Amino acid sequence: MSGDEINPAAVAQAVEDVQGDDRWMSQHTRFVQECKDAEPEVLFIGDSMVQLMQQYEIWRELFSPLHALNFGIGGDTTCNVLWRLQNGELDNIRPMVTVVWVGTNNHEHSAEQVAGGILAIAQLLTSRLPKTKVVVLGLLARGDGPNPLREKNAAVNGFLRSWLPRLGQAQFLDVGAGFVHSDGTISTRDMFDFLHLTAAGYRAIAKPLSDLLLQILDETPEEKRASLV
Amino acid sequence: MSSEDSNPAATPTPGVDTQGDGRWMSLHNHFVSNSKDKEPDVLFVGDSLVQLLYQFEVWRDLFSPLHALNFGVGGDATQHVLWRLSNGELGHISPKVVVLWVGTNNHGHTAEQICGGIMAIVQLIKDKLPKAYTLVLGVLPRGKMPNSLRERNAQVNKLVQEAVSSLPHASLLNVDPGFVHSDGSISHQDLYDYLHLTPQGYQAVCQPLHAHLKGLLEKQAEN
């Protein structure tokens, strides 16, 4: 009986308050409350890549009109997102589409484990919300020049490309094209700290994402009723 | 008075690459080379609260016109800023005003140690840029409800205020417009994760900061 079957990246885990102001739990609690008040068509969940997007104009331009909720928390791993989804952040809502963007913070896990964690999130979503479509965003390259984390994130994306289609309701969207220049560098004009996106960086990824969301929402009969005419 | 060596918050310390992509050093190098062809009148230096400021419209509206440079690095504590300023980031520039905003990430340090770290940076700036004025921004409250970090940050501000009161080349500016409501809560409309500012939060902080900066720059011009 080998105990090695469990993927640590697929184990739900809350974030411990080590700093002393309990901010993670406060954010989670707020999201659970938002589930009671809102009726989102689109749910975004993930780490700071999701969270920060809401602070830029692009969110109001492209995603607010789709009635999107943003449940991103900076620093989150797949384990933290799994815990949040299992502990209230899916209660009382029935989004047509869920956008998942997480995995770049899973520093303790291998690429295969990270992909497994993301798959577990997609599986949880499709089982809790049978009618939802899941869009998983590929992990972006990071760092000023080539480095092991870029290779790792690319490997995660590789696994997701082959695993996700088997889920039927889920699909993979790669929004990372163009960030790494021919000399292998990433510009601070796109990622201000070689990880987090600037307004320009978000603008580049938001277009293909919003196009896909509109396409999915358009295909869904219920949405046709509420669609902007 | 204990020596700086025994205060970890006042001991220059580079960031450690625990993740594997060397971003801290990349950013530092980027700032050093950035400083080679710029002539800023104002230098903003500190942690993510400085760094994120650059990403929003408010920077272009209020601080670009003042010829400001932004050397903020997310996660930085006082000892990291001290290291960066000691290792090239002040090498090729002579701003009239340095805006210093750091301290909230000094986890494990006491308010006294954090104050010591901030004052070490103030002293370093004076040594390297004898004509510059250092404007220290008060550390903001954090967390949704009252907590020990809010008390620590308030104590830091009190200690720094006392320490700079006798200095002609530095002062502390409280930029908290009243983020804490009467029930002790902070709103996510101002601090989206109860630590980092929203664009709305930055507007509330930056209007008075901008006015104060303009006044300082005018005074510097008269000297």
Side-chain angles (χ1 to χ4, degrees), chain B residues 31-45 67-71 85 88-98 125 128-130 132:
Chain B
F31 293 153
V32 172
S33 61
N34 228 16
S35 69
K36 287 186 180 140
D37 51 12
K38 305 273 198 318
E39 286 176 19
D41 287 334
V42 185
L43 173 70
F44 281 72
V45 67
H67 304 113
L69 262 194
N70 188 306
F71 285 2
L85 295 181
E89 289 184 19
L90 292 180
H92 306 95
I93 53 176
S94 26
K96 304 188 172 92
V97 180
V98 178
I125 294 169
K128 288 199 178 264
L129 303 170

Side-chain angles (χ1 to χ4, degrees), chain A residues 164-210:
Chain A
L164 280 173
R166 300 179 203 159
L167 265 194
Q169 298 283 93
Q171 61 184 291
F172 177 77
L173 181 65
D174 187 345
V175 290
F179 286 123
V180 179
H181 298 185
S182 51
D183 63 356
T185 61
I186 284 176
S187 167
T188 53
R189 273 189 266 274
D190 294 322
M191 294 185 192
F192 61 81
D193 60 354
F194 308 109
L195 173 62
H196 295 102
L197 294 165
T198 60
Y202 273 116
R203 204 156 278 280
I205 66 130
K207 190 69 181 56
L209 174 57
S210 121

Side-chain angles (χ1 to χ4, degrees), chain A residues 33-111:
Chain A
Q33 185 57 45
E34 281 181 37
C35 285
K36 297 185 183 141
D37 302 329
E39 287 179 18
E41 304 289 348
V42 185
L43 173 68
F44 282 72
I45 187 139
D47 53 29
S48 60
M49 306 303 290
V50 171
Q51 187 169 39
L52 203 52
M53 191 167 14
Q54 192 173 20
Q55 302 309 315
Y56 290 111
E57 266 310 296
I58 195 78
W59 181 269
R60 219 179 329 231
E61 276 177 42
L62 294 183
F63 301 115
S64 295
L66 303 184
H67 304 114
L69 270 193
N70 187 308
F71 286 2
I73 297 186
D76 264 19
T77 63
T78 52
C79 308
N80 308 138
V81 167
L82 271 169
W83 189 94
R84 294 197 279 123
L85 292 174
Q86 289 173 4
N87 285 272
E89 289 186 21
L90 288 180
D91 293 355
N92 309 304
I93 57 172
R94 287 173 39 199
M96 291 291 147
V97 192
T98 308
V99 179
V100 179
W101 207 8
V102 68
T104 201
N105 295 322
N106 280 60
H107 297 300
E108 308 295 303
H109 307 135
S110 69

